[in-house]
Amino acid sequence: MHDKTVAELAQGLRDRQFTSVELTRSFLDRIAALDNRYNSFIGVDEAAALSDAQAADQRLAAGDATALTGIPVAHKDIFCTAGMRTSCGSRMLDNFVPPYDATLIRRFRRAGAVLLGKTNMDEFAMGSSNETSYYGAVRNPWNTDLVPGGSSGGSAAAVAALLAPAATGTDTGGSIRQPAAFCGITGLKPTYGRVSRLGMVAFASSLDQAGPMAHSARDCAVLLNTMAGHDSGDATSSEMPVPDYTVTLDQPLRGLRIGLPQEYFGEGLDVATGARIDAALRELEAQGAMVSEVSLPHSHLTIPAYYVIAPAEASTNLARFDGVRYGYRCPDPVDLHDLYTRTREQGFGDEVKRRILVGTYALSAGYYEAYYKKAQQVRRLIKQDFMRCFEQVDVIAGPTTPGPAFALGAKSDDPIAMYLEDVYTLAVNLAGLPGMSVPAGLVDGSPVGLQLIGRHFDEARLLNVAHRFQQATDWHRRRPADVEGAQ
Ligand code: GLN
């Protein structure tokens, strides 16, 4: 049961092969028995999940089911859940129980999905390895000595270990795509503004975007159908109509123009990973796609620009955590200044503090023009590079990451090495484009991902390309050898 896709489980529920209560129970039991190996969940409320499932069974019986009714879904612990702790992986929010649901959570509830639990993540979504969580590191189900990627590493590991059929994540610079690649699952970061950010704890507001993480492109399409859409409570949410992402999945790829950015295939890309990406591109060519080289000449500026803009926005967003209104408060403050300093000193971890320092510096009166404004100008150049490519091609493809998952601890003392992990993913967020990672093979037994980048609001096309690829390959069906119950 736990090795099935969302689409298969929905069919099973409709055909009365099992009930949502049975399905939910089986995932809860797996989490209880196996998650001590991976640490992918930080909040599971069994009673609440089973009561969601009971309600879903009633809806199924009444013939009022959606494609997600009765399906257990895990949510990154960055989404506010009414009455259930939302920690964002931080001591600062260890005691925070939101009074309301994020719009994304509300949409899943409305569809009748079961809230299976809240997944572990890098603190405030800052990281690429899921080692900065206050609740401890997450381990990669393919090899527990390796990181699962981050910051949505809990979601990726939970799906890969078959502890949840699907999950949500957020991606500010790669946090859906990179862990999806490292854990051998499919993940989509939609266009900026496609999915509401209301009730999603803010990291860098002009970059943050929520998206689906699942076993297949079809499942991502089913999830995105529920997640996407305008929300009057989020001023940056788009009013563009939402298509049904499942209806175009099977479209043939004949004539599709795919561009390979030369900058994504040079120095820095692991040779074996590059070979898997080449093989994936040959498969797309075999289906009639035309592959050509393109150029993103400002690629070398994406890491510097991102690591000014993201910390700058983070420093302002995180100013709200001051020990006054909610979250952690230091014991026995003697005055207001002491309350602020000790609360923030004790509540935040090292990486978060590093970002606040960098961001505050970049925004300070004397340096704003030199750093923040300059980074915004570079951001425009990066976006223009993509716009120029999309005059020639329909989709851009390349590796999601420079190589497969690395060892726990390997980069935790070297922030620059960690930041380089996102060299192929960051630009997509700076340009606001949709990007996807699709399992493309194994390197030394570890998964690597093919990244697909599309025009604004062209998620349907990415899902279509990924689905056709998955019709012809079985990388997305491979399971980690030591995951119990995998076929
Ligand atoms: N790894 C990047 C960072 O640490 C991206 C994180 C994300 O996408 N949330 O900022």
Side-chain angles (χ1 to χ4, degrees):
M1 197 137 68
H2 41 263
D3 203 5
K4 289 193 168 20
T5 64
V6 169
E8 289 162 352
L9 291 175
Q11 192 62 46
L13 287 167
R14 275 195 300 274
D15 294 348
R16 308 273 189 275
Q17 287 170 26
F18 43 79
T19 65
S20 175
V21 167
E22 287 163 354
L23 182 63
T24 302
R25 184 78 263 165
S26 99
F27 279 107
L28 290 170
D29 289 348
R30 276 183 75 79
I31 295 169
L34 302 173
D35 199 40
N36 55 355
R37 287 192 214 161
Y38 313 114
N39 198 27
S40 64
F41 279 89
I42 47 186
V44 176
D45 182 338
E46 293 207 352
L50 289 168
S51 114
D52 285 359
Q54 243 157 26
D57 281 331
Q58 280 163 15
R59 261 180 88 163
L60 283 154
D64 163 39
T66 76
L68 285 178
T69 304
I71 304 291
V73 179
H75 295 289
K76 187 175 184 177
D77 204 24
I78 196 168
F79 297 105
C80 283
T81 40
M84 187 173 185
R85 183 180 68 181
T86 300
S87 73
C88 219
S90 182
R91 180 181 192 190
M92 190 59 94
L93 289 177
D94 182 47
N95 62 2
F96 175 55
V97 178
Y100 70 104
D101 278 329
T103 299
L104 173 141
I105 299 288
R106 258 196 310 117
R107 283 175 166 271
F108 275 99
R109 283 199 203 282
R110 212 189 306 146
V114 172
L115 198 165
L116 185 60
K118 307 290 295 287
T119 56
N120 204 344
M121 56 182 284
D122 276 306
E123 185 178 8
F124 284 104
M126 297 171 190
S128 307
S129 65
N130 221 132
E131 293 169 295
T132 71
S133 170
Y134 177 59
Y135 304 94
V138 176
R139 288 167 182 273
N140 190 318
W142 289 79
N143 176 343
T144 50
D145 294 333
L146 305 181
V147 303
S151 65
S152 311
S155 291
V159 174
L162 310 178
L163 304 181
T168 57
T170 63
D171 189 313
T172 303
S175 281
I176 287 174
R177 289 161 286 158
Q178 189 249 18
F182 281 6
C183 291
I185 68 164
T186 308
L188 170 65
K189 181 208 92 78
T191 308
Y192 182 75
R194 180 73 296 181
V195 176
S196 170
R197 291 184 297 111
L198 192 149
M200 181 174 123
V201 180
F203 164 10
S205 306
S206 76
L207 302 164
D208 297 342
Q209 184 60 200
M213 305 175 78
H215 289 300
S216 69
R218 176 177 292 282
D219 284 359
C220 285
V222 170
L223 264 70
L224 190 60
N225 276 348
T226 289
M227 299 166 76
H230 181 247
D231 177 6
S232 57
D234 170 2
T236 60
S237 151
S238 171
E239 291 187 30
M240 282 275 281
V242 180
D244 178 344
Y245 295 104
T246 60
V247 299
T248 42
L249 287 172
D250 285 306
Q251 261 172 23
L253 300 188
R254 185 153 311 284
L256 179 83
R257 296 167 305 169
I258 300 180
L260 310 182
Q262 59 184 81
E263 293 81 4
Y264 285 23
F265 288 87
E267 205 191 328
L269 175 62
D270 163 64
V271 174
T273 303
R276 297 315 323 157
I277 302 306
D278 287 343
L281 292 165
R282 281 201 298 278
E283 172 52 43
L284 296 176
E285 275 184 313
Q287 294 195 32
M290 297 173 306
V291 171
S292 64
E293 198 172 89
V294 292
S295 179
L296 298 168
H298 296 95
S299 289
H300 62 292
L301 297 176
T302 56
I303 291 187
Y306 174 89
Y307 277 99
V308 171
I309 293 169
E313 295 185 11
S315 73
T316 64
N317 274 326
L318 270 55
R320 73 190 68 171
F321 302 108
D322 55 8
V324 176
R325 284 158 293 188
Y326 50 83
Y328 179 75
R329 175 180 295 176
C330 70
D332 309 318
V334 294
D335 58 22
L336 193 60
H337 189 262
D338 182 44
L339 168 75
Y340 287 162
T341 31
R342 275 199 300 125
T343 293
R344 290 167 69 81
E345 184 189 318
Q346 294 163 10
F348 290 135
D350 288 349
E351 183 60 28
V352 174
K353 285 179 189 155
R354 183 179 295 127
R355 309 271 180 126
I356 292 173
L357 287 173
V358 170
T360 306
Y361 183 83
L363 290 177
S364 59
Y367 296 102
Y368 178 87
E369 302 262 326
Y371 293 107
Y372 188 70
K373 193 166 162 219
K374 184 61 77 186
Q376 289 290 18
Q377 288 165 341
V378 171
R379 179 177 189 171
R380 176 169 296 262
L381 294 175
I382 290 166
K383 185 171 171 188
Q384 282 169 357
D385 284 355
F386 280 107
M387 294 302 115
R388 226 167 271 134
C389 286
F390 283 127
E391 286 168 13
Q392 298 163 38
V393 298
D394 306 305
V395 169
I396 292 172
T400 305
T401 59
F406 47 91
L408 278 147
K411 302 189 187 200
S412 32
D413 295 331
D414 186 350
I416 305 285
M418 192 71 91
Y419 296 171
L420 283 170
E421 270 306 302
D422 299 316
V423 64
Y424 305 132
T425 50
L426 297 176
V428 171
N429 301 71
L430 290 169
L433 298 166
M436 193 165 179
S437 184
V438 187
L442 300 174
V443 169
D444 297 332
S446 286
V448 293
L450 167 73
Q451 182 175 210
L452 302 169
I453 303 167
R455 296 192 181 102
H456 289 113
F457 297 101
D458 211 4
E459 286 82 3
R461 173 91 67 159
L462 300 185
L463 290 161
N464 162 225
V465 177
H467 177 71
R468 294 292 308 207
F469 179 72
Q470 292 182 338
Q471 296 295 96
T473 58
D474 73 346
W475 298 117
H476 64 296
R477 287 203 201 87
R478 302 288 179 98
R479 301 288 177 250
D482 61 352
V483 163
E484 263 170 51
Q487 282 159 1

